[in-house]
Amino acid sequence: MMKKIIYIFLLASIFAVTAINVQAESPYTTWALGPGQRFFMTQDAYLPHAEIDLDISSPEDMYITSEGVMYIADTGNHRIVKLENFQIIATYGEDVLTGPTGIYVDEDGMMYIVDAKSNTIVILDQDGNLVKQFGRPEEPLFGRSREFLPRKIAVDARKNLYVISEGSVNGIVQMNTNGNFIGYFGANTATMSLKMVLQRLFLTQEQLDQFIKNEAASPANITIDHQSMVYTITAGTSNGRSIRKFTVSGLNKFPDTFGSNTFRDIDVSEEGLVVAVDATGMIWEYDLNGMILFVFGAQDRGEQRLGTLRNPSAIERYQEYIYVLDRDKNAIVVFETTAFARQVHFGVRLYMEGFYSEAKPYFERVLNYNGSFIMAYQAIAEAYYKERSYTNALENYRYAEDQSGYSQAFWELRNVVLQQYLTSAIIGLVGLSVANGVFKHFERRYKWLDPVRRWLKDIQRIKLIDDFVFMFRFIKQPADSFYYIKKKLRGSLAFAGIIYLWVIVVRVLSLYLTGFIFNPFASLSDIRVENEIITVLLLIFIWNAANYLVSTISDGEGRVRDVVIGSAYSLFPYALFVLPIALISNVLSLNEIFIYSFSLNIVWFWTGLMLIIMVKEIHNYSFAETVRNILVTIFTMGLFVLTGYILYVLFNQLYDFLSAVLQEIRLRG
C-alpha cells in the first residue's frame, strides 16, 4: 500500500515541480530490430514526460530504491542528496566526500559511495553516519604498482563490492565491506585489428614496445540485478561487445550484442528489462537475453526540447518510467512508457519466464501496432511450438528468421507426417518397383522403346546435343575428354557459353530453392540477383583471362578457345548437382546438416579437381607445373581485382572533380 501511495505522489509531483509540461511532441525517432537484423522506424516506445530541474551541480550518478526513493551523487557540491517526489529531503557526506561519482544503496539503506577525488570507497548508514572508508587494497594480488581509481560501484546480496576502477584492464575490482581485495571480475578481452597483425609481423620487439599496447578496454559502469547477475558497459570498444552480462562465476551470458561504444550507464529492472544511455543521448533497451527492443533519444543541441539530453551521466528505471540524469542540465529527464511498449514489455516478461502461450496475445497485439517487430514473431512461434501447432510455428519462425527454431519445428512436423504416410509410401514404392520390373520384362520381348532409342540417336547428331552428351563423358574419362577438346574433336564455344549461362542460372535458383534452414539469406527479398550474376560473370572472365595469360608466359600449350571451353566443362559438377542438393535441403533439419554440407563439399572438390585436370591436360603440364600455374593464376586474379578497385576509386574521384568543376562553372556563368 505504501508503495502505491509513494508512486501516486511521485506522479503528481512531476506536474508540480517542473516548469516544462508533459506530452510534448517526441523530438526523436524510435527504432526496433526488424527483418534482416536491420533497424526500422517504429511507434514511440517512450514519450518525453518531464524535465525536473534540481539544486545540484554536475551530478555523476543516481540510484532509485525499490520504494522509489532517489539518491544522487551531487559531485559538484561534494555530497549525496536524497529525494522523494523530486524534493531534496536529506543530504549526506558533506564532511567526508570531496567528489562522489558513484552511489549504490542496499535494502537496509546503507550507502556505498565512490569518492573519485580522494580515490576512496565511503560507506554511510541510512542516517548518513560514516561506517567505513578505505582506499587502495593492500593485498599483493591486487598488484603492488597498480593504481586504484574508483569511479562506479555496485553491491550484491552477499555485500560484495564491485568497483569500476578507471584503466583497470583486469576487470572489475571485487572487495568486501572492510576494503579487502577479493579478486578481479568480468574482464574484457583485447581485440586485434588487421593493422596490429601486420605491425606484429614486420616490426621488431623494440618498435612494438615503443607504440603498440594492445590491452583490453576497462569497463565504464556497472549494475547488478536481483539475481546478482553483473552487467557492465565499456566505452571505446566495438559496438558488439560494449555490453556484458556476467554470472557470479564471471561467465559472460550475452552474445555479441549490438550497442553503442559511448555508453555512460546501465540499469536492470526487477522485471528484467535492461536500459543503457550513451553520450549522444540515445537510450537502448534490451531483454535479459540481450535482444534489442528499442532504441530512441536525441541530443540537445541548444533547442532545449523536452526529451533531449545534453550530457547524460546516469539512467534508472522505476515502474513505467525511465529517469536519465543529465550532468550539464543538473536535471532529471523523465520518459513515460507508451501503450505499444507496455504490450511488448508484458509479452517479454511472460516470454522470459517461459509462459509462451500466455505471452502470445500480447505479441499479437504488438504486431497490430507494427508488423515488422521481429521479436513478436519469435515469441509467437515458440508459443505455437509448445502447443504442437508446428505448421504455424514454421511460418512464424520464418518471419522471425530463426533457423534453429524452424529446424526443431520442421523435425517434429516431419515425424508426424512420416507416422501418417510412411506405410503408404513404402507400399507405393514396392508397387512401383514391381511395375517397373514387369515393364522391363515385356519391353525386352516387344521392344516398345526402340523408336525412342532411334530418335535419341538421330538428335545426337545435332552439334549442341552432342556437346551436351559429351559433358557426361567427363565423369569417367576427364583427362581424355580434355584431350579431345584440345584437338578440336569435341566441344564448342557455343556450348561453353551455354554452360556458363547454366552456372549463373543455377547459382541464382539455388539461393531461392535452398531450404530456409540452410539458406544464407534469411529473407529471399535480401537476394540481389544482379549482384550474383555480376559476381559469377566476373569470376569466369577473370579466371579465363588470368589462366591464359599465366599459361602463355609459362609455356602452356592451350589456346584461348581451349581454356574457355575446358573451364566451362570443368564446371559440370556444379551445374548438374547444386540444384538437386538445394531441393534436398528442404527436407532436412539441422540434425542432418552433415548431409547438406558434405554434398556441397563434394561438388566443390569435384569442380576444383576438374579444373586441375583441365590445366594439366590443356597446357600439357606436369603435376608440379600444374600446381604452380594454378597458384599463380589465383594470385593474378587477385591483382586483377585490386587493379579494378583502384581504377574504380580513381574514376570516382575524377568524376567528383569534374562534377565540382562543372558546378563551379555554372555558378560563375
Side-chain angles (χ1 to χ4, degrees):
M1 185 67 182
M2 182 58 66
K3 288 185 180 180
K4 292 183 179 179
I5 294 173
I6 293 175
Y7 180 56
I8 292 171
F9 276 107
L10 187 148
L11 294 180
S13 66
I14 292 177
F15 296 94
V17 176
T18 182
I20 305 176
N21 270 331
V22 304
Q23 300 302 330
E25 183 182 354
S26 175
Y28 47 73
T29 300
T30 301
W31 303 87
L33 210 58
Q37 297 298 299
R38 292 187 292 266
F39 285 100
F40 69 96
M41 290 187 291
T42 186
Q43 291 90 339
D44 285 325
Y46 295 88
L47 290 174
H49 188 79
E51 185 173 306
I52 315 298
D53 295 322
L54 299 171
D55 185 20
I56 54 180
S57 176
S58 303
E60 290 288 348
D61 202 9
M62 172 175 59
Y63 187 88
I64 302 179
T65 68
S66 57
E67 289 78 25
V69 180
M70 292 184 178
Y71 292 80
I72 295 177
D74 188 4
T75 309
N77 293 321
H78 324 301
R79 61 181 183 172
I80 301 297
V81 299
K82 180 180 180 181
L83 297 90
E84 287 187 6
N85 303 327
F86 299 107
Q87 299 286 341
I88 298 177
I89 61 171
T91 62
Y92 308 109
E94 289 98 335
D95 55 340
V96 180
L97 303 174
T98 57
T101 58
I103 173 72
Y104 186 95
V105 183
D106 66 15
E107 296 178 351
D108 300 322
M110 299 285 286
M111 291 171 276
Y112 302 83
I113 306 160
V114 170
D115 193 40
K117 198 169 183 179
S118 64
N119 293 325
T120 60
I121 307 297
V122 179
I123 302 177
L124 306 178
D125 64 18
Q126 59 182 350
D127 298 320
N129 301 311
L130 179 64
V131 177
K132 185 79 67 174
Q133 183 175 5
F134 47 85
R136 184 184 180 279
E138 298 298 328
E139 287 78 6
L141 289 176
F142 178 78
R144 296 189 181 279
S145 60
R146 187 162 288 124
E147 289 186 301
F148 183 60
L149 304 172
R151 295 296 181 264
K152 303 294 179 182
I153 190 171
V155 184
D156 66 15
R158 299 174 296 173
K159 306 300 183 185
N160 291 320
L161 280 55
Y162 296 81
V163 181
I164 299 293
S165 179
E166 185 177 327
S168 177
V169 298
N170 293 323
I172 304 161
V173 180
Q174 195 174 6
M175 311 170 72
N176 62 24
T177 53
N178 293 319
N180 303 123
F181 177 70
I182 299 174
Y184 290 103
F185 184 90
N188 292 313
T189 55
T191 57
M192 186 74 70
S193 65
L194 178 61
K195 180 181 178 181
M196 291 180 179
V197 173
L198 295 175
Q199 288 173 331
R200 289 180 180 274
L201 287 174
F202 297 107
L203 298 182
T204 64
Q205 188 59 47
E206 290 77 12
Q207 292 171 322
L208 291 171
D209 294 338
Q210 211 170 25
F211 65 93
I212 295 180
K213 195 174 182 181
N214 185 31
E215 294 181 336
S218 174
N221 216 324
I222 185 174
T223 192
I224 294 181
D225 66 15
H226 65 283
Q227 296 179 333
S228 293
M229 302 284 277
V230 177
Y231 298 74
T232 66
I233 53 173
T234 304
T237 188
S238 65
N239 291 343
R241 300 182 177 182
S242 57
I243 184 169
R244 288 284 186 263
K245 174 184 178 181
F246 297 100
T247 64
V248 292
S249 61
L251 178 65
N252 176 40
K253 300 294 291 183
F254 266 10
D256 283 356
T257 302
F258 190 81
S260 171
N261 59 9
T262 63
F263 276 139
R264 292 286 182 79
D265 192 22
I266 184 172
D267 180 66
V268 184
S269 69
E270 292 184 2
E271 295 81 10
L273 298 173
V274 181
V275 289
V277 63
D278 68 17
T280 66
M282 299 297 293
I283 297 173
W284 303 67
E285 184 176 52
Y286 305 84
D287 66 18
L288 282 177
N289 292 331
M291 172 69 81
I292 293 178
L293 300 180
F294 301 108
V295 182
F296 66 97
Q299 193 168 24
D300 187 351
R301 303 185 184 278
E303 308 94 338
Q304 297 184 350
R305 295 185 65 186
L306 179 62
T308 59
L309 300 169
R310 193 174 301 163
N311 189 7
S313 58
I315 188 170
E316 292 283 321
R317 181 197 295 275
Y318 184 70
Q319 297 182 348
E320 295 298 328
Y321 293 85
I322 291 177
Y323 303 88
V324 181
L325 184 66
D326 196 300
R327 185 180 188 275
D328 288 356
K329 291 184 176 184
N330 296 315
I332 296 174
V333 181
V334 185
F335 300 89
E336 181 183 8
T337 311
T338 64
F340 169 54
R342 281 195 291 271
Q343 294 297 317
V344 174
H345 295 162
F346 289 143
V348 167
R349 291 163 190 166
L350 291 168
Y351 178 78
M352 291 292 105
E353 294 173 2
F355 299 109
Y356 301 125
S357 297
E358 291 80 358
K360 186 170 69 172
Y362 292 103
F363 285 113
E364 288 174 340
R365 286 193 285 271
V366 168
L367 292 178
N368 290 332
Y369 281 99
N370 197 313
S372 298
F373 203 84
I374 197 167
M375 185 181 180
Y377 291 110
Q378 178 74 38
I380 292 171
E382 296 284 357
Y384 278 125
Y385 181 81
K386 295 296 181 184
E387 296 167 2
R388 300 181 182 274
S389 180
Y390 300 122
T391 303
N392 290 326
L394 285 175
E395 181 183 3
N396 284 277
Y397 276 129
R398 183 183 286 273
Y399 287 137
E401 301 177 353
D402 182 358
Q403 293 175 317
S404 177
Y406 186 96
S407 174
Q408 293 176 359
F410 179 77
W411 174 274
E412 297 291 347
L413 181 62
R414 190 177 65 181
N415 287 341
V416 173
V417 172
L418 287 175
Q419 289 173 10
Q420 291 178 346
Y421 301 106
L422 183 60
T423 303
S424 301
I426 293 174
I427 294 172
L429 289 173
V430 172
L432 287 173
S433 179
V434 172
N436 182 59
V438 172
F439 177 82
K440 286 183 177 180
H441 173 75
F442 285 102
E443 199 280 328
R444 285 194 296 267
R445 176 178 293 183
Y446 299 107
K447 308 295 182 182
W448 292 337
L449 297 180
D450 280 356
V452 177
R453 295 189 185 96
R454 287 192 295 270
W455 177 76
L456 290 174
K457 190 174 181 179
D458 290 338
I459 67 169
Q460 194 172 338
R461 295 171 184 172
I462 301 172
K463 179 61 176 171
L464 288 178
I465 301 297
D466 181 63
D467 291 337
F468 175 78
V469 174
F470 175 63
M471 182 173 62
F472 293 91
R473 182 186 176 92
F474 284 82
I475 297 176
K476 292 183 177 181
Q477 299 173 320
D480 290 343
S481 300
F482 285 121
Y483 176 80
Y484 289 150
I485 292 174
K486 184 178 179 181
K487 296 300 180 181
K488 294 186 177 181
L489 299 176
R490 306 292 293 269
S492 65
L493 286 171
F495 191 73
I498 293 174
I499 294 178
Y500 288 135
L501 180 61
W502 186 357
V503 167
I504 294 172
V505 172
V506 166
R507 170 60 183 172
V508 174
L509 287 180
S510 66
L511 294 176
Y512 283 97
L513 297 178
T514 299
F516 173 74
I517 298 171
F518 305 101
N519 204 311
F521 295 94
S523 175
L524 297 182
S525 61
D526 293 334
I527 300 173
R528 298 292 179 262
V529 176
E530 63 279 7
N531 292 347
E532 299 296 330
I533 293 173
I534 292 171
T535 300
V536 176
L537 283 174
L538 283 176
L539 285 173
I540 291 171
F541 175 78
I542 293 173
W543 163 265
N544 284 307
N547 186 259
Y548 175 71
L549 290 175
V550 172
S551 302
T552 302
I553 298 171
S554 55
D555 300 324
E557 298 179 1
R559 297 154 297 183
V560 175
R561 173 192 177 277
D562 303 331
V563 173
V564 172
I565 298 175
S567 298
Y569 275 101
S570 298
L571 298 176
F572 85 87
Y574 183 92
L576 288 176
F577 297 108
V578 164
L579 277 185
I581 293 172
L583 291 172
I584 291 172
S585 70
N586 288 274
V587 297
L588 301 176
S589 70
L590 282 177
N591 295 326
E592 296 97 21
I593 191 173
F594 170 77
I595 299 173
Y596 177 76
S597 302
F598 182 75
S599 302
L600 277 183
N601 289 335
I602 287 292
V603 169
W604 287 115
F605 175 79
W606 194 355
T607 303
L609 182 62
M610 294 301 298
L611 285 171
I612 293 172
I613 297 173
M614 185 276 295
V615 172
K616 182 179 183 300
E617 297 299 326
I618 291 294
H619 299 296
N620 196 23
Y621 286 147
S622 65
F623 179 76
E625 290 172 332
T626 301
V627 173
R628 183 168 60 250
N629 177 277
I630 291 176
L631 292 175
V632 176
T633 298
I634 294 172
F635 179 75
T636 306
M637 291 173 67
L639 290 180
F640 282 172
V641 173
L642 180 61
T643 304
Y645 176 75
I646 293 172
L647 291 174
Y648 171 77
V649 172
L650 290 175
F651 277 116
N652 267 352
Q653 291 179 346
L654 179 62
Y655 175 80
D656 293 339
F657 172 74
L658 293 175
S659 298
V661 171
L662 291 173
Q663 187 176 4
E664 184 70 19
I665 293 172
R666 291 195 198 97
L667 292 174
R668 293 179 179 271

